[in-house]
PDB file of all heavy atoms in Angstrom:
ATOM      1  N   LEU B   1       0.821  -1.219  -0.008  1.00 90.00           N
ATOM      2  CA  LEU B   1      -0.007   0.005  -0.001  1.00 90.00           C
ATOM      3  C   LEU B   1       0.859   1.260  -0.008  1.00 90.00           C
ATOM      4  O   LEU B   1       0.315   2.352  -0.150  1.00 90.00           O
ATOM      5  CB  LEU B   1      -0.943   0.018   1.215  1.00 90.00           C
ATOM      6  CG  LEU B   1      -2.118  -0.967   1.164  1.00 90.00           C
ATOM      7  CD1 LEU B   1      -2.806  -1.020   2.520  1.00 90.00           C
ATOM      8  CD2 LEU B   1      -3.106  -0.566   0.087  1.00 90.00           C
ATOM      9  N   CYS B   2       2.154   1.094   0.154  1.00 93.00           N
ATOM     10  CA  CYS B   2       3.042   2.267   0.124  1.00 93.00           C
ATOM     11  C   CYS B   2       3.316   2.666  -1.343  1.00 93.00           C
ATOM     12  O   CYS B   2       3.070   1.928  -2.277  1.00 93.00           O
ATOM     13  CB  CYS B   2       4.376   1.942   0.811  1.00 93.00           C
ATOM     14  SG  CYS B   2       4.267   1.939   2.631  1.00 93.00           S
ATOM     15  N   ASP B   3       3.877   3.875  -1.484  1.00 94.00           N
ATOM     16  CA  ASP B   3       4.237   4.349  -2.817  1.00 94.00           C
ATOM     17  C   ASP B   3       5.412   3.576  -3.389  1.00 94.00           C
ATOM     18  O   ASP B   3       5.484   3.320  -4.610  1.00 94.00           O
ATOM     19  CB  ASP B   3       4.598   5.844  -2.761  1.00 94.00           C
ATOM     20  CG  ASP B   3       3.403   6.709  -2.384  1.00 94.00           C
ATOM     21  OD1 ASP B   3       2.387   6.636  -3.063  1.00 94.00           O
ATOM     22  OD2 ASP B   3       3.510   7.458  -1.366  1.00 94.00           O
ATOM     23  N   LEU B   4       6.381   3.240  -2.544  1.00 96.00           N
ATOM     24  CA  LEU B   4       7.626   2.625  -2.988  1.00 96.00           C
ATOM     25  C   LEU B   4       8.070   1.549  -2.008  1.00 96.00           C
ATOM     26  O   LEU B   4       7.932   1.742  -0.782  1.00 96.00           O
ATOM     27  CB  LEU B   4       8.707   3.669  -3.177  1.00 96.00           C
ATOM     28  CG  LEU B   4       8.438   4.709  -4.273  1.00 96.00           C
ATOM     29  CD1 LEU B   4       9.256   5.950  -4.014  1.00 96.00           C
ATOM     30  CD2 LEU B   4       8.755   4.142  -5.655  1.00 96.00           C
ATOM     31  N   LEU B   5       8.635   0.490  -2.497  1.00 97.00           N
ATOM     32  CA  LEU B   5       9.129  -0.605  -1.676  1.00 97.00           C
ATOM     33  C   LEU B   5      10.569  -0.919  -2.073  1.00 97.00           C
ATOM     34  O   LEU B   5      10.846  -1.240  -3.218  1.00 97.00           O
ATOM     35  CB  LEU B   5       8.249  -1.862  -1.857  1.00 97.00           C
ATOM     36  CG  LEU B   5       8.806  -3.178  -1.281  1.00 97.00           C
ATOM     37  CD1 LEU B   5       8.995  -3.069   0.246  1.00 97.00           C
ATOM     38  CD2 LEU B   5       7.890  -4.341  -1.614  1.00 97.00           C
ATOM     39  N   LEU B   6      11.483  -0.861  -1.091  1.00 97.00           N
ATOM     40  CA  LEU B   6      12.859  -1.229  -1.291  1.00 97.00           C
ATOM     41  C   LEU B   6      13.115  -2.475  -0.441  1.00 97.00           C
ATOM     42  O   LEU B   6      12.608  -2.547   0.705  1.00 97.00           O
ATOM     43  CB  LEU B   6      13.829  -0.127  -0.871  1.00 97.00           C
ATOM     44  CG  LEU B   6      13.702   1.188  -1.618  1.00 97.00           C
ATOM     45  CD1 LEU B   6      12.693   2.107  -0.968  1.00 97.00           C
ATOM     46  CD2 LEU B   6      15.084   1.909  -1.698  1.00 97.00           C
ATOM     47  N   MET B   7      13.891  -3.441  -0.950  1.00 97.00           N
ATOM     48  CA  MET B   7      14.135  -4.668  -0.218  1.00 97.00           C
ATOM     49  C   MET B   7      15.602  -4.978  -0.139  1.00 97.00           C
ATOM     50  O   MET B   7      16.363  -4.784  -1.112  1.00 97.00           O
ATOM     51  CB  MET B   7      13.374  -5.845  -0.870  1.00 97.00           C
ATOM     52  CG  MET B   7      11.867  -5.746  -0.786  1.00 97.00           C
ATOM     53  SD  MET B   7      11.017  -7.162  -1.574  1.00 97.00           S
ATOM     54  CE  MET B   7      11.460  -8.507  -0.430  1.00 97.00           C
ATOM     55  N   SER B   8      16.047  -5.535   1.002  1.00 96.00           N
ATOM     56  CA  SER B   8      17.398  -5.985   1.176  1.00 96.00           C
ATOM     57  C   SER B   8      17.491  -7.403   0.642  1.00 96.00           C
ATOM     58  O   SER B   8      16.710  -8.296   1.013  1.00 96.00           O
ATOM     59  CB  SER B   8      17.783  -5.981   2.666  1.00 96.00           C
ATOM     60  OG  SER B   8      18.943  -6.696   2.893  1.00 96.00           O
ATOM     61  N   ARG B   9      18.467  -7.619  -0.220  1.00 95.00           N
ATOM     62  CA  ARG B   9      18.628  -8.962  -0.824  1.00 95.00           C
ATOM     63  C   ARG B   9      18.977 -10.041   0.209  1.00 95.00           C
ATOM     64  O   ARG B   9      18.553 -11.159   0.124  1.00 95.00           O
ATOM     65  CB  ARG B   9      19.729  -8.875  -1.911  1.00 95.00           C
ATOM     66  CG  ARG B   9      19.981 -10.225  -2.585  1.00 95.00           C
ATOM     67  CD  ARG B   9      20.943 -10.100  -3.768  1.00 95.00           C
ATOM     68  NE  ARG B   9      20.278  -9.531  -4.945  1.00 95.00           N
ATOM     69  CZ  ARG B   9      20.564  -8.351  -5.447  1.00 95.00           C
ATOM     70  NH1 ARG B   9      21.499  -7.563  -4.906  1.00 95.00           N
ATOM     71  NH2 ARG B   9      19.934  -7.888  -6.553  1.00 95.00           N
ATOM     72  N   ILE B  10      19.713  -9.650   1.233  1.00 92.00           N
ATOM     73  CA  ILE B  10      20.198 -10.620   2.182  1.00 92.00           C
ATOM     74  C   ILE B  10      19.152 -10.984   3.209  1.00 92.00           C
ATOM     75  O   ILE B  10      19.194 -12.103   3.806  1.00 92.00           O
ATOM     76  CB  ILE B  10      21.474 -10.084   2.903  1.00 92.00           C
ATOM     77  CG1 ILE B  10      22.210 -11.211   3.604  1.00 92.00           C
ATOM     78  CG2 ILE B  10      21.107  -8.988   3.923  1.00 92.00           C
ATOM     79  CD1 ILE B  10      23.568 -10.800   4.191  1.00 92.00           C
ATOM     80  N   SER B  11      18.149 -10.129   3.403  1.00 91.00           N
ATOM     81  CA  SER B  11      17.218 -10.427   4.535  1.00 91.00           C
ATOM     82  C   SER B  11      15.757 -10.187   4.239  1.00 91.00           C
ATOM     83  O   SER B  11      14.920 -10.674   4.989  1.00 91.00           O
ATOM     84  CB  SER B  11      17.634  -9.548   5.717  1.00 91.00           C
ATOM     85  OG  SER B  11      17.640  -8.168   5.363  1.00 91.00           O
ATOM     86  N   GLY B  12      15.415  -9.431   3.220  1.00 92.00           N
ATOM     87  CA  GLY B  12      14.017  -9.078   2.980  1.00 92.00           C
ATOM     88  C   GLY B  12      13.199 -10.213   2.365  1.00 92.00           C
ATOM     89  O   GLY B  12      13.605 -10.804   1.351  1.00 92.00           O
ATOM     90  N   THR B  13      12.062 -10.526   2.940  1.00 89.00           N
ATOM     91  CA  THR B  13      11.141 -11.527   2.374  1.00 89.00           C
ATOM     92  C   THR B  13       9.704 -11.051   2.558  1.00 89.00           C
ATOM     93  O   THR B  13       9.371 -10.507   3.611  1.00 89.00           O
ATOM     94  CB  THR B  13      11.300 -12.903   3.034  1.00 89.00           C
ATOM     95  OG1 THR B  13      11.264 -12.761   4.468  1.00 89.00           O
ATOM     96  CG2 THR B  13      12.601 -13.577   2.631  1.00 89.00           C
ATOM     97  N   LEU B  14       8.896 -11.271   1.549  1.00 90.00           N
ATOM     98  CA  LEU B  14       7.518 -10.798   1.572  1.00 90.00           C
ATOM     99  C   LEU B  14       6.578 -11.901   1.083  1.00 90.00           C
ATOM    100  O   LEU B  14       6.688 -12.385  -0.048  1.00 90.00           O
ATOM    101  CB  LEU B  14       7.401  -9.559   0.648  1.00 90.00           C
ATOM    102  CG  LEU B  14       6.019  -8.881   0.541  1.00 90.00           C
ATOM    103  CD1 LEU B  14       5.612  -8.260   1.842  1.00 90.00           C
ATOM    104  CD2 LEU B  14       6.042  -7.829  -0.574  1.00 90.00           C
ATOM    105  N   TRP B  15       5.653 -12.356   1.960  1.00 83.00           N
ATOM    106  CA  TRP B  15       4.714 -13.404   1.607  1.00 83.00           C
ATOM    107  C   TRP B  15       3.370 -13.023   2.118  1.00 83.00           C
ATOM    108  O   TRP B  15       3.215 -12.343   3.124  1.00 83.00           O
ATOM    109  CB  TRP B  15       5.104 -14.759   2.282  1.00 83.00           C
ATOM    110  CG  TRP B  15       6.471 -15.235   2.157  1.00 83.00           C
ATOM    111  CD1 TRP B  15       7.094 -15.735   1.050  1.00 83.00           C
ATOM    112  CD2 TRP B  15       7.426 -15.355   3.227  1.00 83.00           C
ATOM    113  NE1 TRP B  15       8.341 -16.181   1.387  1.00 83.00           N
ATOM    114  CE2 TRP B  15       8.588 -15.962   2.693  1.00 83.00           C
ATOM    115  CE3 TRP B  15       7.382 -15.044   4.599  1.00 83.00           C
ATOM    116  CZ2 TRP B  15       9.713 -16.204   3.462  1.00 83.00           C
ATOM    117  CZ3 TRP B  15       8.506 -15.301   5.363  1.00 83.00           C
ATOM    118  CH2 TRP B  15       9.668 -15.899   4.797  1.00 83.00           C
ATOM    119  N   LEU B  16       2.335 -13.594   1.480  1.00 80.00           N
ATOM    120  CA  LEU B  16       1.002 -13.548   2.071  1.00 80.00           C
ATOM    121  C   LEU B  16       0.809 -14.709   3.067  1.00 80.00           C
ATOM    122  O   LEU B  16       0.342 -14.514   4.182  1.00 80.00           O
ATOM    123  CB  LEU B  16      -0.073 -13.643   0.979  1.00 80.00           C
ATOM    124  CG  LEU B  16      -1.511 -13.540   1.490  1.00 80.00           C
ATOM    125  CD1 LEU B  16      -1.750 -12.291   2.289  1.00 80.00           C
ATOM    126  CD2 LEU B  16      -2.499 -13.668   0.314  1.00 80.00           C
ATOM    127  N   GLY B  17       1.223 -15.908   2.622  1.00 67.00           N
ATOM    128  CA  GLY B  17       1.109 -17.060   3.513  1.00 67.00           C
ATOM    129  C   GLY B  17       2.422 -17.453   4.167  1.00 67.00           C
ATOM    130  O   GLY B  17       2.471 -17.808   5.328  1.00 67.00           O
ATOM    131  N   GLY B  18       3.471 -17.379   3.373  1.00 62.00           N
ATOM    132  CA  GLY B  18       4.759 -17.798   3.884  1.00 62.00           C
ATOM    133  C   GLY B  18       4.956 -19.316   3.794  1.00 62.00           C
ATOM    134  O   GLY B  18       3.965 -20.052   3.671  1.00 62.00           O
ATOM    135  N   PRO B  19       6.193 -19.777   3.821  1.00 64.00           N
ATOM    136  CA  PRO B  19       6.444 -21.215   3.597  1.00 64.00           C
ATOM    137  C   PRO B  19       5.798 -22.111   4.640  1.00 64.00           C
ATOM    138  O   PRO B  19       5.272 -23.185   4.329  1.00 64.00           O
ATOM    139  CB  PRO B  19       7.961 -21.282   3.625  1.00 64.00           C
ATOM    140  CG  PRO B  19       8.425 -20.055   4.276  1.00 64.00           C
ATOM    141  CD  PRO B  19       7.422 -18.989   4.000  1.00 64.00           C
ATOM    142  N   ARG B  20       5.822 -21.711   5.903  1.00 64.00           N
ATOM    143  CA  ARG B  20       5.304 -22.604   6.938  1.00 64.00           C
ATOM    144  C   ARG B  20       3.787 -22.686   6.881  1.00 64.00           C
ATOM    145  O   ARG B  20       3.188 -23.769   6.960  1.00 64.00           O
ATOM    146  CB  ARG B  20       5.740 -22.096   8.325  1.00 64.00           C
ATOM    147  CG  ARG B  20       7.242 -22.223   8.576  1.00 64.00           C
ATOM    148  CD  ARG B  20       7.619 -21.709   9.945  1.00 64.00           C
ATOM    149  NE  ARG B  20       9.053 -21.785  10.143  1.00 64.00           N
ATOM    150  CZ  ARG B  20       9.692 -21.344  11.272  1.00 64.00           C
ATOM    151  NH1 ARG B  20       8.947 -20.825  12.237  1.00 64.00           N
ATOM    152  NH2 ARG B  20      10.997 -21.439  11.400  1.00 64.00           N
ATOM    153  N   GLN B  21       3.116 -21.503   6.789  1.00 63.00           N
ATOM    154  CA  GLN B  21       1.666 -21.519   6.710  1.00 63.00           C
ATOM    155  C   GLN B  21       1.187 -22.268   5.472  1.00 63.00           C
ATOM    156  O   GLN B  21       0.236 -23.038   5.563  1.00 63.00           O
ATOM    157  CB  GLN B  21       1.131 -20.096   6.697  1.00 63.00           C
ATOM    158  CG  GLN B  21       1.242 -19.390   8.039  1.00 63.00           C
ATOM    159  CD  GLN B  21       0.490 -18.062   8.004  1.00 63.00           C
ATOM    160  OE1 GLN B  21      -0.458 -17.901   7.265  1.00 63.00           O
ATOM    161  NE2 GLN B  21       0.947 -17.103   8.810  1.00 63.00           N
ATOM    162  N   THR B  22       1.825 -22.012   4.361  1.00 62.00           N
ATOM    163  CA  THR B  22       1.422 -22.670   3.123  1.00 62.00           C
ATOM    164  C   THR B  22       1.591 -24.188   3.196  1.00 62.00           C
ATOM    165  O   THR B  22       0.682 -24.953   2.797  1.00 62.00           O
ATOM    166  CB  THR B  22       2.206 -22.143   1.925  1.00 62.00           C
ATOM    167  OG1 THR B  22       2.009 -20.709   1.843  1.00 62.00           O
ATOM    168  CG2 THR B  22       1.751 -22.763   0.620  1.00 62.00           C
ATOM    169  N   GLN B  23       2.712 -24.632   3.698  1.00 59.00           N
ATOM    170  CA  GLN B  23       2.936 -26.089   3.831  1.00 59.00           C
ATOM    171  C   GLN B  23       1.955 -26.727   4.760  1.00 59.00           C
ATOM    172  O   GLN B  23       1.433 -27.827   4.520  1.00 59.00           O
ATOM    173  CB  GLN B  23       4.357 -26.342   4.291  1.00 59.00           C
ATOM    174  CG  GLN B  23       4.730 -27.851   4.255  1.00 59.00           C
ATOM    175  CD  GLN B  23       6.196 -28.092   4.572  1.00 59.00           C
ATOM    176  OE1 GLN B  23       6.920 -27.165   4.840  1.00 59.00           O
ATOM    177  NE2 GLN B  23       6.622 -29.324   4.492  1.00 59.00           N
ATOM    178  N   ALA B  24       1.627 -26.038   5.876  1.00 57.00           N
ATOM    179  CA  ALA B  24       0.688 -26.573   6.849  1.00 57.00           C
ATOM    180  C   ALA B  24      -0.705 -26.687   6.242  1.00 57.00           C
ATOM    181  O   ALA B  24      -1.447 -27.624   6.504  1.00 57.00           O
ATOM    182  CB  ALA B  24       0.675 -25.744   8.111  1.00 57.00           C
ATOM    183  N   ALA B  25      -1.069 -25.716   5.382  1.00 60.00           N
ATOM    184  CA  ALA B  25      -2.434 -25.689   4.864  1.00 60.00           C
ATOM    185  C   ALA B  25      -2.601 -26.527   3.591  1.00 60.00           C
ATOM    186  O   ALA B  25      -3.651 -27.135   3.400  1.00 60.00           O
ATOM    187  CB  ALA B  25      -2.822 -24.240   4.540  1.00 60.00           C
ATOM    188  N   THR B  26      -1.570 -26.590   2.774  1.00 61.00           N
ATOM    189  CA  THR B  26      -1.709 -27.236   1.447  1.00 61.00           C
ATOM    190  C   THR B  26      -0.685 -28.322   1.179  1.00 61.00           C
ATOM    191  O   THR B  26      -0.757 -28.968   0.114  1.00 61.00           O
ATOM    192  CB  THR B  26      -1.621 -26.190   0.332  1.00 61.00           C
ATOM    193  OG1 THR B  26      -0.277 -25.672   0.282  1.00 61.00           O
ATOM    194  CG2 THR B  26      -2.592 -25.028   0.564  1.00 61.00           C
ATOM    195  N   SER B  27       0.297 -28.462   2.048  1.00 60.00           N
ATOM    196  CA  SER B  27       1.409 -29.378   1.843  1.00 60.00           C
ATOM    197  C   SER B  27       2.398 -28.936   0.748  1.00 60.00           C
ATOM    198  O   SER B  27       3.353 -29.630   0.451  1.00 60.00           O
ATOM    199  CB  SER B  27       0.941 -30.823   1.525  1.00 60.00           C
ATOM    200  OG  SER B  27       0.152 -31.300   2.566  1.00 60.00           O
ATOM    201  N   GLU B  28       2.126 -27.775   0.184  1.00 61.00           N
ATOM    202  CA  GLU B  28       3.028 -27.217  -0.850  1.00 61.00           C
ATOM    203  C   GLU B  28       4.309 -26.733  -0.189  1.00 61.00           C
ATOM    204  O   GLU B  28       4.280 -26.029   0.833  1.00 61.00           O
ATOM    205  CB  GLU B  28       2.387 -26.077  -1.598  1.00 61.00           C
ATOM    206  CG  GLU B  28       3.259 -25.492  -2.692  1.00 61.00           C
ATOM    207  CD  GLU B  28       2.643 -24.275  -3.365  1.00 61.00           C
ATOM    208  OE1 GLU B  28       1.488 -23.965  -3.068  1.00 61.00           O
ATOM    209  OE2 GLU B  28       3.304 -23.650  -4.214  1.00 61.00           O
ATOM    210  N   VAL B  29       5.464 -27.084  -0.771  1.00 63.00           N
ATOM    211  CA  VAL B  29       6.734 -26.648  -0.236  1.00 63.00           C
ATOM    212  C   VAL B  29       7.299 -25.565  -1.169  1.00 63.00           C
ATOM    213  O   VAL B  29       7.454 -25.758  -2.351  1.00 63.00           O
ATOM    214  CB  VAL B  29       7.761 -27.821  -0.173  1.00 63.00           C
ATOM    215  CG1 VAL B  29       9.099 -27.327   0.331  1.00 63.00           C
ATOM    216  CG2 VAL B  29       7.195 -28.924   0.707  1.00 63.00           C
ATOM    217  N   TYR B  30       7.552 -24.376  -0.593  1.00 67.00           N
ATOM    218  CA  TYR B  30       8.072 -23.231  -1.324  1.00 67.00           C
ATOM    219  C   TYR B  30       9.520 -23.463  -1.742  1.00 67.00           C
ATOM    220  O   TYR B  30      10.320 -24.041  -1.015  1.00 67.00           O
ATOM    221  CB  TYR B  30       8.025 -22.002  -0.464  1.00 67.00           C
ATOM    222  CG  TYR B  30       6.773 -21.186  -0.505  1.00 67.00           C
ATOM    223  CD1 TYR B  30       5.560 -21.736  -0.946  1.00 67.00           C
ATOM    224  CD2 TYR B  30       6.762 -19.867  -0.089  1.00 67.00           C
ATOM    225  CE1 TYR B  30       4.414 -20.955  -0.956  1.00 67.00           C
ATOM    226  CE2 TYR B  30       5.608 -19.096  -0.079  1.00 67.00           C
ATOM    227  CZ  TYR B  30       4.439 -19.657  -0.542  1.00 67.00           C
ATOM    228  OH  TYR B  30       3.304 -18.913  -0.551  1.00 67.00           O
ATOM    229  N   ASP B  31       9.857 -22.960  -2.906  1.00 66.00           N
ATOM    230  CA  ASP B  31      11.253 -22.799  -3.252  1.00 66.00           C
ATOM    231  C   ASP B  31      11.839 -21.711  -2.340  1.00 66.00           C
ATOM    232  O   ASP B  31      11.181 -20.760  -1.999  1.00 66.00           O
ATOM    233  CB  ASP B  31      11.414 -22.353  -4.728  1.00 66.00           C
ATOM    234  CG  ASP B  31      12.878 -22.221  -5.138  1.00 66.00           C
ATOM    235  OD1 ASP B  31      13.444 -21.133  -4.892  1.00 66.00           O
ATOM    236  OD2 ASP B  31      13.431 -23.195  -5.665  1.00 66.00           O
ATOM    237  N   GLU B  32      13.099 -21.868  -1.912  1.00 68.00           N
ATOM    238  CA  GLU B  32      13.699 -20.940  -0.954  1.00 68.00           C
ATOM    239  C   GLU B  32      13.777 -19.519  -1.480  1.00 68.00           C
ATOM    240  O   GLU B  32      13.874 -18.562  -0.690  1.00 68.00           O
ATOM    241  CB  GLU B  32      15.050 -21.440  -0.547  1.00 68.00           C
ATOM    242  CG  GLU B  32      16.066 -21.503  -1.705  1.00 68.00           C
ATOM    243  CD  GLU B  32      17.450 -21.950  -1.282  1.00 68.00           C
ATOM    244  OE1 GLU B  32      17.585 -22.430  -0.152  1.00 68.00           O
ATOM    245  OE2 GLU B  32      18.385 -21.820  -2.119  1.00 68.00           O
ATOM    246  N   ASN B  33      13.732 -19.316  -2.776  1.00 73.00           N
ATOM    247  CA  ASN B  33      13.809 -17.959  -3.351  1.00 73.00           C
ATOM    248  C   ASN B  33      12.482 -17.225  -3.453  1.00 73.00           C
ATOM    249  O   ASN B  33      12.446 -16.031  -3.675  1.00 73.00           O
ATOM    250  CB  ASN B  33      14.425 -18.055  -4.770  1.00 73.00           C
ATOM    251  CG  ASN B  33      15.874 -18.554  -4.735  1.00 73.00           C
ATOM    252  OD1 ASN B  33      16.665 -18.145  -3.880  1.00 73.00           O
ATOM    253  ND2 ASN B  33      16.186 -19.415  -5.659  1.00 73.00           N
ATOM    254  N   VAL B  34      11.377 -17.978  -3.240  1.00 81.00           N
ATOM    255  CA  VAL B  34      10.059 -17.328  -3.332  1.00 81.00           C
ATOM    256  C   VAL B  34       9.903 -16.322  -2.185  1.00 81.00           C
ATOM    257  O   VAL B  34      10.175 -16.622  -1.048  1.00 81.00           O
ATOM    258  CB  VAL B  34       8.950 -18.413  -3.262  1.00 81.00           C
ATOM    259  CG1 VAL B  34       7.598 -17.731  -3.135  1.00 81.00           C
ATOM    260  CG2 VAL B  34       8.999 -19.320  -4.487  1.00 81.00           C
ATOM    261  N   GLY B  35       9.472 -15.138  -2.539  1.00 83.00           N
ATOM    262  CA  GLY B  35       9.270 -14.077  -1.575  1.00 83.00           C
ATOM    263  C   GLY B  35      10.458 -13.197  -1.308  1.00 83.00           C
ATOM    264  O   GLY B  35      10.347 -12.200  -0.616  1.00 83.00           O
ATOM    265  N   GLY B  36      11.612 -13.551  -1.896  1.00 90.00           N
ATOM    266  CA  GLY B  36      12.821 -12.733  -1.665  1.00 90.00           C
ATOM    267  C   GLY B  36      12.830 -11.477  -2.530  1.00 90.00           C
ATOM    268  O   GLY B  36      11.950 -11.248  -3.354  1.00 90.00           O
ATOM    269  N   ALA B  37      13.877 -10.678  -2.328  1.00 91.00           N
ATOM    270  CA  ALA B  37      13.975  -9.399  -3.031  1.00 91.00           C
ATOM    271  C   ALA B  37      14.031  -9.561  -4.529  1.00 91.00           C
ATOM    272  O   ALA B  37      13.306  -8.891  -5.296  1.00 91.00           O
ATOM    273  CB  ALA B  37      15.187  -8.628  -2.514  1.00 91.00           C
ATOM    274  N   ASP B  38      14.879 -10.486  -5.015  1.00 93.00           N
ATOM    275  CA  ASP B  38      14.974 -10.673  -6.458  1.00 93.00           C
ATOM    276  C   ASP B  38      13.733 -11.274  -7.046  1.00 93.00           C
ATOM    277  O   ASP B  38      13.348 -10.974  -8.200  1.00 93.00           O
ATOM    278  CB  ASP B  38      16.212 -11.569  -6.768  1.00 93.00           C
ATOM    279  CG  ASP B  38      17.519 -10.898  -6.472  1.00 93.00           C
ATOM    280  OD1 ASP B  38      17.680  -9.717  -6.809  1.00 93.00           O
ATOM    281  OD2 ASP B  38      18.420 -11.527  -5.870  1.00 93.00           O
TER     282      ASP B  38
END
């Protein structure tokens, strides 16, 4: 909802569900790069 978003490659991650919630709900396992800055 902000005008601009900057992310740190080494630490920034953005998810709606996230790997743990998603795996618990659907058994889907995220790739480790999903949600990262790149």
Side-chain angles (χ1 to χ4, degrees):
L1 287 170
C2 283
D3 295 305
L4 295 158
L5 168 62
L6 299 88
M7 294 180 68
S8 167
R9 179 173 284 114
I10 196 172
S11 57
T13 50
L14 181 66
W15 311 288
L16 181 58
R20 293 180 182 177
Q21 287 189 29
T22 301
Q23 186 173 5
T26 68
S27 299
E28 180 184 355
V29 179
Y30 271 19
D31 182 274
E32 63 179 10
N33 296 318
V34 172
D38 291 317

